[in-house]
Amino acid sequence: MADKRSRLLWRDITVFDGQHELADPMAVLVADGRVAKLCRDAELDAADLAGVTDMGHGGVMTPGLVDCHTHLVFAGSRAGEFALRLEGASYAEVAQAGGGILSTVRATRDASEDELVAATLPRLDALLADGVTTVEIKSGYGLTVADELKMLRAARRLGEIRPVRVVTTLLGAHALPLEYQDDSDAYIRLVCNEMIPAAAADGLADAVDVFCEGIAFSPAQCERVFSAAARHGLRVKAHAEQLSNLGGAALAARHGALSADHIDYLDDAGVESMAEAGTVATLLPGAYLTLRESQQPPIDALRRHGVPIAVATDANPGSSPMFMPTLMLNLACTLFRLTPREALAGMTTNGARALNLADVGRIAEGLRADLCVWDVERSNELAYAVQAGRLRQRIFDGEITQERTHER
Ligand code: NIG
Ligand code: FE
């Protein structure tokens, strides 16, 4: 393993820079945690080569993957609900019967912060083994001030014990907890007046999310949450138009949302609002598959209006129990007809944009060296084949954090 201060050099490597695969094989020099040089092999000079560690050649280098939408921290399992849904119960019916998100809330409230960290580590490790270097983690299974903060603290700790950037999002407005069943406005007041201020005061949340849906919160309630977030200097995002069209994405866009996510039922007006605001459209094909949805997100309209498209796992115990980001690249293509290039840009450049991160998700001189080297010949193979174990090297902050050592 090379240490952080070393200068690492890859030669003759195919580079996907976050938007496109570059035409020629390239050399990539990493120093002091950043990409110091990206050029053709022949353009390397003696100064570049001084004191470098040769990291190999061949294969494909991409930015480290950015999974911009997960609910990775939770306790318990929803395997029973999976079976119920296969027998015909809908996601909404399971939720209305007290299962669904609320069953994970019960298990998560019962878990300590340490237990949540321990339960989440194997899931996080699965993401890292498949190339993730930045992951967003939402709260939303606590639904009390103390339990939401506990989830956010667990998420932050995961970023300290593993080499990964963790971005946290407060999702207090995820579901209505049982104790507020008759007064959803009172719960929204708790989110606005206590949860958001507490998370902001402790620096535990990078953004605020809502679930705008018939089985969750109305646009008017979500708007109150967005205004409270703004008062505390936090950017917003939304689960919107997942099961129906309530105009949540347009509302979020009007509040400067970083992203609107799911958006299966998004209409033209919603697309236009997102384009105007520069709001990223985050596609979550794992949830679409798991819930056996049939309403396709409006990909052509998003393209026509130049809305940046991100792709994420939505890793969670209910609607997307999937912890393999490269599978999502494949599903985004097979289910939504993204091109392999669009899918990979969605989990690099546009994923970073959905998290408001300017210096990851792309490979360019001066940007952070969060990188993956894959044992494939072309970058489009990552979406084409569903195959674990293709990650040759994972580089986080200029340091090799994972390396396959066997013969290749
Ligand atoms: O992104 N849509 C709401 N929230 C999650 C599901 C969470 C769960 O089912 O536990 C989602 O699909
Ligand atoms: Fe989600």
Side-chain angles (χ1 to χ4, degrees), residues 231-273:
R231 284 198 294 278
H232 289 85
L234 292 170
R235 298 288 295 272
V236 300
K237 44 183 57 214
H239 287 68
E241 274 72 82
Q242 180 185 9
L243 308 170
S244 62
N245 180 6
L246 298 183
L251 173 73
R254 286 199 296 281
H255 286 264
L258 291 167
S259 68
D261 304 29
H262 288 289
I263 56 160
D264 302 1
Y265 286 81
L266 186 68
D267 59 18
D268 271 351
V271 174
E272 282 166 28
S273 304

Side-chain angles (χ1 to χ4, degrees), residues 192-319:
C192 295
N193 300 339
E194 296 185 41
M195 262 179 213
I196 291 174
D202 291 355
L204 283 173
D206 299 309
V208 170
D209 197 348
V210 298
F211 187 13
C212 185
E213 191 58 68
I215 58 167
F217 298 100
S218 70
Q221 291 173 323
C222 293
E223 184 153 34
R224 276 175 243 151
V225 175
F226 293 157
S227 300
R231 284 198 294 278
H232 289 85
L234 292 170
R235 298 288 295 272
V236 300
K237 44 183 57 214
H239 287 68
E241 274 72 82
Q242 180 185 9
L243 308 170
S244 62
N245 180 6
L246 298 183
L251 173 73
R254 286 199 296 281
H255 286 264
L258 291 167
S259 68
D261 304 29
H262 288 289
I263 56 160
D264 302 1
Y265 286 81
L266 186 68
D267 59 18
D268 271 351
V271 174
E272 282 166 28
S273 304
M274 289 176 66
E276 264 167 47
T279 298
V280 173
T282 301
L283 304 183
L284 305 170
Y288 179 94
L289 175 74
T290 301
L291 300 183
R292 299 166 56 85
E293 297 290 346
S294 54
Q295 175 75 30
Q296 299 248 336
I299 305 298
D300 284 339
L302 294 169
R303 284 183 183 129
R304 262 198 324 277
H305 288 88
V307 176
I309 298 174
V311 175
T313 60
D314 196 15
N316 76 67
S319 68

Side-chain angles (χ1 to χ4, degrees), residues 69 71 78 81 91 100-101 104 141 171 174 211 239 242 262 284 287 291 314 316-320:
H69 180 140
H71 309 248
R78 303 249 290 278
E81 167 187 328
Y91 185 65
I101 293 172
T104 301
Y141 295 124
L171 178 54
H174 191 198
F211 187 13
H239 287 68
Q242 180 185 9
H262 288 289
L284 305 170
L291 300 183
D314 196 15
N316 76 67
S319 68
S320 188

Side-chain angles (χ1 to χ4, degrees), residues 120-153:
T120 307
L121 267 176
R123 300 189 282 263
L124 179 62
D125 286 341
L127 298 187
L128 302 196
D130 201 35
V132 168
T133 52
T134 297
V135 62
E136 184 257 19
I137 301 179
K138 301 175 194 297
S139 65
Y141 295 124
L143 311 186
T144 66
V145 176
D147 289 307
E148 289 289 297
L149 297 188
K150 175 180 74 180
M151 288 188 69
L152 294 171
R153 276 196 304 271

Side-chain angles (χ1 to χ4, degrees), residues 84-135:
L84 281 180
R85 279 192 281 103
L86 293 175
E87 286 163 16
S90 73
Y91 185 65
E93 283 162 358
V94 171
Q96 275 147 7
I101 293 172
L102 288 184
S103 71
T104 301
V105 170
R106 285 191 288 278
T108 303
R109 285 180 177 178
D110 283 347
S112 67
E113 186 184 316
D114 286 349
E115 286 167 340
L116 287 177
V117 169
T120 307
L121 267 176
R123 300 189 282 263
L124 179 62
D125 286 341
L127 298 187
L128 302 196
D130 201 35
V132 168
T133 52
T134 297
V135 62

